[in-house]
Amino acid sequence: MIKSVDHIVLTTGDLHRCLDFYTRVLGMTIEHYGKDRIALRFGDHKFNVHPPGFDAGIKARTPTPGSLDLCFLADRPLDEVIAHLKRERVPIEEGPVVR
């Protein structure tokens, strides 16, 4: 059912330290996109970074510094994924939404 990871969201309490670690220590590159969004790129992958006070709209129920969200791509249509989650009694907190 899961095809791949789309992206990972890092919630940070200290944007400068976060960006410093992932760029200086791990060699990722910073990408600015949208109005005020930041991502860290490495190969074909990325971490979206949510600094203090950032309202992403779609997010985990309780994002806290040091936490992360995993965002997957499915290998089947969304209605099949939703039906599977319902059969497995997994509640959907929000969505689906248009991106």
Side-chain angles (χ1 to χ4, degrees), residues 8-10 12 15 18-19 38-40 47-51 54:
I8 295 171
V9 178
L10 298 173
T12 181
L15 181 60
C18 176
L19 296 179
I38 301 169
L40 293 159
F47 291 163
N48 289 348
V49 181
H50 291 178
F54 182 78

Side-chain angles (χ1 to χ4, degrees), residues 1 78-92 95-96:
M1 179 159 61
L78 184 57
D79 59 334
E80 291 181 29
V81 174
I82 291 169
H84 176 74
L85 293 173
K86 286 182 180 180
R87 282 192 303 276
E88 296 297 325
R89 297 185 185 99
V90 176
I92 297 174

